[in-house]
Amino acid sequence: MDGQLQIENSLFQTELTVIHEAIIWAIKQNRVCNIWRDSMSNLLAMNSIKTNNKTAKGVQTLLSQHPNITINWIKAHNGHLGNEYSDQLAKRATIEGTAF
C-alpha cells in the first residue's frame, strides 16, 4: 500500500489507510508509537479476527509484528490537534482521492 486512494473510497476505508500509513511510518522510523484515533468502527474492524477488510487485516499483521506500535481510541472533537488534523486530511482525501 502506498497511501494512494481511489475516488470511491469511503471515509471508513480512508481512515484505515491513514492508520496503515502511520504504522508504516513508525516502523521506518523504528519508533515506539501510540496512534490515537476516534473511529470506533475502524478500531473494531482492526481488532476483529472475523474482519474481511484487507486493510484492517494488513494493520493486524503489522501490529502483531511490531508490538512497540499501538492503536488507541480517543473521543472525537475533543480539541486534540493531532486528531482534528488527521480527520481533516482523511475527509479531504476522501473527497479529492489524493495521496498523502
Side-chain angles (χ1 to χ4, degrees), residues 9-97:
N9 285 124
S10 66
L11 185 57
F12 174 83
Q13 184 62 35
T14 302
E15 289 186 344
L16 274 177
T17 303
V18 167
I19 292 166
H20 185 273
E21 293 302 308
I23 294 168
I24 296 295
W25 176 86
I27 291 168
K28 288 179 180 178
Q29 300 298 314
N30 195 29
R31 299 235 178 158
V32 173
C33 187
N34 297 309
I35 300 169
W36 296 88
R37 291 299 306 145
D38 64 6
S39 174
M40 186 59 74
S41 59
N42 283 154
L43 294 172
L44 291 172
M46 289 182 296
N47 288 326
S48 173
I49 59 171
K50 296 180 182 181
T51 188
N52 292 323
N53 186 287
K54 193 164 86 172
T55 307
K57 286 183 178 185
V59 167
Q60 289 174 346
T61 300
L62 289 173
L63 291 175
S64 71
Q65 295 170 348
H66 300 277
N68 59 320
I69 302 169
T70 60
I71 310 292
N72 302 289
W73 181 80
I74 190 169
K75 184 179 176 184
H77 309 295
N78 67 348
H80 189 277
L81 292 177
N83 184 52
E84 298 298 330
Y85 182 64
S86 68
D87 280 348
Q88 290 172 6
L89 289 176
K91 287 175 186 171
R92 187 178 77 199
T94 300
I95 294 166
E96 299 175 5

